[in-house]
Amino acid sequence: MSRPRIVIVGAGFAGYRTARTLSRLTRHQADITLLNPTDYFLYLPLLPQVAAGILEPRRVSVSLSGTLPHVRLVLGEADGIDLDGHTVRYTGPEGEVGTLPFDRLVLAAGSVNKLLPIPGVAEHAHGFRGLPEALYLRDHVTRQVELAAASDDRAECAARCTFVVVGAGYTGTEVAAHGAMYTDAQVRKHPMRTGMRPRWMLLDVAPRVMPEMDERLSRTAERVLRQRGVDVRMGISVKEATHDGVLLTDGTTVDTRTLVWCVGVRPDPLVESLGLPMERGRLLVDPHLQVPGRPELFACGDVAAVPDLNQPGQYTPMTAQHAWRHGKVCAQNVAASLGIGERRAYRHRDLGFVVDLGGAKAAANPLGVPMSGPAAGAVTRGYHLAAMPGNRVRVAADWLLDAVLPRQAVQLGLVRSWSVPLESSSPEVARILGAPERSGKDDGPGGERPVGDQTKHPQNQQNPQNPHNQHSGEPAKEQAGGEPAKSQPGGEPAKSQPGGEPAKGQPGGEPAKGGSGAGTADAGNQAHGERAKRGGSGSPRASGKPRRAVEAAGPRPARGGSGKPGKAPRASGAGSAGKRPTAPSGPSRSAGPPTDPGPEPPANQPPPGPDIAPGPVRRTDGRAAEGDS
């Protein structure tokens, strides 16, 4: 008789704990498969310390294969679930499509950024849900402070060193607290020429900071923030976001290049495709974390609406503590359904909360005892070390080094702005050129995004003619398959890339952004070294076909040209088609007149591929090129 097959979707707090507990309970009596886009478990509570340069990224990333030796890891993202056929369809990191059969299925897909219908937020803000977003924020903040320190213009300096965080919950409060310390340390070493200092703002419509916590802890956190110079504004949020700043609900305008969105999270949209009873986007389960009427289906973590037996009529909140405890109970009940052990209902006891505010400051109430100052800081760090399933020694070593050595304020430029869009159904995975794209709108301020990307699930596609047909209050999508970067004159790509300088060694042109071939730029556009932007023709996940890396359509050396070695003739619209190779015919996305081309590549230079970093970008709007936000 074959062994039962258990598939776990997601390796967050709930999924990781389920896999680890099931591996111990079944003792090789079942085949356990874990489906996850990354090969690590991310310890989210310490992510603000990664953005502030205290911890290295791998310190908060626990290897799945290294800590779950008896669990099969499959890299990919679930596209659809056939409950009657007992299969899970997924797409791998390189576009390959596969299926996983199961006898028991555990849904622990987690959550994604929560969006609100506020103009400009999806285009100009960045979330804080994964390692790519934390690495991008660290680079971006470092770059803005460096650019502000070198500027003589007080207005520009003030805008660059103003950082706006929306959402005063756990994440937003910690990001603002750590960010203020990080930027203050930067300007102490390199003061700004205008004499200004970094300014952090924390906004929320709630009446106080961290309203879900005890009022005494809330006051402690707000006091620490104000001592560090953070401008805390309660009862206020963002009304509109632009590249140059934000308009607040009280009518004031704040010039800034940084908007961090920490408003909250919503369940992964994967569970909506099941057609089962839902509660505010979460799958309804019984106290045993089992879906009623589906004995083979379990759910836990942020995607599950678990009844709170201590407060009848309510459901457990979407927190890491509950997700971690869900995983253990879910594993015990899955094993019980296979005849191993007994079922148990989920009950919890509130052990308190901890909020790390940076340095020796924290707010904590272990076992209901409110604490602040260094004592709370020690309790907070002790709790995190005990809760982490790995890397404890490395984390403790980084904390010790941070206490005695200055932080390294450098920008690595590993994550581009368009790689971490706010509207993404997979914030834990950064986009890369030439790879399968994820859901998302146009990039943040000054950035650009590869077009042709699709949402994670087909049911998330909205009708472009009906901007009101949205889910969870998200802004309307303007297209189904991809669009050129907005507000770009003459069809040019967006402003300069993260890093504050063009890529070295790039010969004038930029690689094309991949799509599925619905349209390409004309020859005149390619002659100017611009990217050929292609619109997507539909979601590969919806059609079930694997996505492949696309080839770049960058500038190529002319054939037959002017007779001058190393210089290609200039193309002029369609009339230059005979002078150089052109892309397949299609509508041009460039509507304006051609601008002055950059330097042409030498004749023996091969065309740049999708793995080559973008080159310099020319602007025609009269402003100097800026790093994106």
Side-chain angles (χ1 to χ4, degrees), residues 20 138 381 517 525:
R20 193 172 74 168
R138 177 177 173 180
R381 296 201 168 185
N525 202 19

Side-chain angles (χ1 to χ4, degrees), residues 220-241:
T220 298
E222 183 172 351
R223 183 175 65 252
V224 172
L225 291 172
R226 294 190 183 278
Q227 287 174 351
R228 292 182 183 165
V230 178
D231 186 0
V232 180
R233 299 190 185 184
M234 295 293 99
I236 298 176
S237 188
V238 173
K239 184 177 181 180
E240 183 181 359

Side-chain angles (χ1 to χ4, degrees), residues 113-122 166 205 237-238 261 263-264 266 422 441 471-476:
N113 290 313
K114 179 181 179 181
L115 296 180
L116 299 177
I118 300 176
V121 166
V166 184
V205 295
S237 188
V238 173
W261 192 256
V263 169
R266 60 186 177 92
L422 178 62
K441 290 193 175 184
H471 168 69
S472 296
E474 297 178 37

